[in-house]
Amino acid sequence: MMLTGCWDYRELGEIQIVSGMGIEAGTKAKYRLYIEIIRTAEFVSDKRLGSARSYVVEEEVNTVADGVTVLNKKLNKHIEFSHLQLLVIDQELLRKGDLSYLDFIERYREVRNNILMVGAEQGKVKAVMSTVTPDLSVSTYKIREQLQEYYRDYGGTYPIKLQHFVRDLGESGRSPIMPMVTIADETEKGTSIEAAKQIEVNDVVEIAGMGVFRKGKLAGILNNEETRDAMLTHRQFKESAMEMPCGKGKYVSLYLQHQDGNIHVEMRRGEPHLFVDLDLTARLDESQCKGYFDGSSEDFEKIEEQGEKVITARIKKVIQKVQRDFKADMFGFGSNLRERDNKSYKKIKNEWNEQFAAADLEVKVRLNLRRAGIRYGSMELKE
């Protein structure tokens, strides 16, 4: 009788699962490599020792490929990368345009190409990967979920996968983007297991906007509000809250629920003109102004008209900032021109970012306010 089997299998007790990887510039070698390893026994009730559920090890290396093997001198089991969730990269490397480490990460058969990527404030890669919170003590898992929820609820930066980032690096007409993170109220306590047991949380990994790349280098960073405004133009946009003034020091809040529209480019006398055309639906979530909204059709129209002006202005402002300061087409106008008029695009392909930066822009927004909650008028207090 002949039996088949896997010649290179490993038992679960012989491996250590990596959940996150971090990279920054080294002092003795080219890179300092960090990996977060999960203590699987801490997830089993009868084997739990009360230790941290993950820990971070580091090593200075010249190549990531060398690092994943050299790290075994500090570990007693095979390092398993098939469950890698997050790649954290220091902003210093991103500004220099040093992305050579991505070659190994994309080649290595154990690493899935759907891992998420974030840029960390300079010198804070280790802190980002080590900070724990009461709800989830595996740092990189927490950040992955945080990115996805922030995008779904606020319309913040779109979670960028390795495969999409690498694609945009090599694609003409669209500049890559990447979420940025930082540590709020950083202390040494945030990396302690005791931090996961506290009611008051000081050290928190926060999403800090979105990085925009030009020619492989980090060209600049949009803050969270600017990122939300920019994402309104993307097909991936889900939902978001947006406030606008209704009086002195008072506001109304709209919850944008659906986006339908497009961006496109038209060539006029050999020069590109950018167009954004959006249809948005919304509901009224809050009104602080007495008598501003009473539920009449005129009030619905008034808010729709004001909302269209506010959203149009915000989208224009963020696109013009990217044109002026970053000169990088993160919106994909160039890709649209390539698909619609490839002949014209070929003529300016090599200088598209410069053409994008100088192009005229037109934005049209149509807002449909569908609901206003379970009450119409604003809350009134007796004098």
Side-chain angles (χ1 to χ4, degrees):
M1 179 184 295
M2 295 184 64
L3 300 176
T4 60
C6 298
W7 64 271
D8 61 346
Y9 83 96
R10 294 180 186 271
E11 296 287 351
L12 289 176
E14 298 175 350
I15 64 174
Q16 292 178 309
I17 297 174
V18 175
S19 63
M21 177 186 291
I23 300 174
E24 65 182 16
T27 55
K28 298 178 181 179
K30 188 175 182 180
Y31 301 121
R32 179 172 289 273
L33 177 68
Y34 302 93
I35 60 172
E36 183 180 25
I37 298 176
I38 295 178
R39 283 193 174 102
T40 53
E42 291 300 316
F43 290 86
V44 182
S45 58
D46 59 345
K47 294 184 179 181
R48 190 176 301 162
L49 300 175
S51 303
R53 292 189 170 185
S54 68
Y55 61 99
V56 175
V57 294
E58 60 187 87
E59 184 67 31
E60 292 211 1
V61 295
N62 289 317
T63 66
V64 178
D66 185 45
V68 298
T69 54
V70 169
L71 277 168
N72 275 297
K73 71 182 183 181
K74 300 180 179 181
L75 304 167
N76 63 333
K77 298 177 182 179
H78 173 71
I79 306 172
E80 177 67 38
F81 285 89
S82 60
H83 294 279
L84 184 66
Q85 300 291 308
L86 187 74
L87 175 62
V88 185
I89 307 171
D90 190 277
Q91 287 181 13
E92 181 185 3
L93 289 181
L94 298 177
R95 289 193 177 94
K96 291 179 178 178
D98 186 350
L99 299 172
S100 57
Y101 43 83
L102 294 181
D103 185 81
F104 167 77
I105 297 171
E106 195 182 27
R107 286 176 187 270
Y108 195 39
R109 64 184 180 89
E110 285 189 9
V111 178
R112 297 183 174 95
N113 64 3
N114 65 349
I115 64 172
L116 298 188
M117 303 176 66
V118 297
E121 189 176 346
Q122 186 173 339
K124 295 190 176 182
V125 171
K126 185 176 183 179
V128 166
M129 295 182 63
S130 305
T131 300
V132 297
T133 54
D135 59 331
L136 191 55
S137 55
V138 179
S139 302
T140 46
Y141 277 161
K142 183 261 184 184
I143 297 171
R144 181 184 176 91
E145 291 187 2
Q146 183 178 351
L147 287 167
Q148 293 170 336
E149 287 301 320
Y150 185 67
Y151 161 65
R152 283 193 288 260
D153 292 344
Y154 181 71
T157 180
Y158 181 64
I160 298 300
K161 298 177 180 178
L162 173 65
Q163 64 193 72
H164 296 153
F165 185 81
V166 172
R167 177 201 64 193
D168 290 344
L169 277 175
E171 180 179 329
S172 175
R174 181 187 296 274
S175 297
I177 57 177
M178 184 186 297
M180 298 288 131
V181 296
T182 188
I183 302 287
D185 302 322
E186 184 178 1
T187 68
E188 294 182 359
K189 296 179 181 178
T191 59
S192 169
I193 187 61
E194 297 301 318
K197 302 177 183 179
Q198 302 300 315
I199 295 177
E200 182 179 356
V201 180
N202 292 319
D203 302 60
V204 177
V205 177
E206 286 189 356
I207 297 171
M210 178 170 63
V212 182
F213 290 74
R214 183 174 185 269
K215 296 181 179 179
K217 296 182 180 181
L218 180 62
I221 299 174
L222 298 175
N223 64 35
N224 285 325
E225 187 173 296
E226 292 168 337
T227 298
R228 186 272 316 277
D229 296 341
M231 293 306 296
L232 284 171
T233 68
H234 279 237
R235 293 178 180 177
Q236 295 93 344
F237 172 79
K238 298 292 184 183
E239 298 178 336
S240 181
M242 181 175 290
E243 64 184 32
M244 59 185 187
C246 62
K248 187 176 181 180
K250 295 185 178 182
Y251 301 87
V252 294
S253 179
L254 300 179
Y255 197 75
L256 308 177
Q257 297 176 291
H258 180 68
Q259 180 256 57
D260 187 20
N262 65 81
I263 62 172
H264 65 278
V265 183
E266 294 181 8
M267 297 298 295
R268 297 178 179 177
R269 297 180 181 179
E271 295 181 351
H273 289 249
L274 314 179
F275 294 87
V276 177
D277 193 354
L278 298 178
D279 289 286
L280 297 167
T281 60
R283 70 170 188 254
L284 179 64
D285 270 0
E286 182 179 349
S287 174
Q288 298 176 353
C289 295
K290 181 179 179 181
Y292 181 80
F293 181 82
D294 294 320
S296 66
S297 59
E298 291 80 8
D299 286 343
F300 272 84
E301 292 174 1
K302 175 180 66 177
I303 292 180
E304 288 173 345
E305 182 178 347
Q306 183 183 358
E308 288 172 355
K309 292 179 180 179
V310 170
I311 296 170
T312 297
R314 289 183 175 179
I315 292 176
K316 272 188 175 181
K317 184 178 180 180
V318 71
I319 294 178
Q320 288 171 347
K321 176 177 179 175
V322 173
Q323 288 179 294
R324 180 185 66 250
D325 298 344
F326 304 159
K327 295 179 175 59
D329 181 11
M330 57 164 282
F331 303 94
F333 285 104
S335 296
N336 175 270
L337 180 61
R338 186 184 68 240
E339 295 170 1
R340 291 163 54 97
D341 187 359
N342 192 44
K343 184 177 180 180
S344 296
Y345 180 73
K346 283 183 177 180
K347 296 178 181 179
I348 57 177
K349 174 182 177 181
N350 294 330
E351 55 183 31
W352 170 248
N353 279 326
E354 290 74 16
Q355 292 280 342
F356 162 77
D360 291 333
L361 171 68
E362 183 176 331
V363 179
K364 291 183 180 179
V365 175
R366 291 169 295 277
L367 180 66
N368 180 14
L369 183 63
R370 290 188 173 181
R371 292 183 294 276
I374 60 176
R375 66 175 299 154
Y376 285 135
S378 300
M379 182 178 67
E380 298 181 14
L381 300 177
K382 293 182 180 181
E383 296 181 359

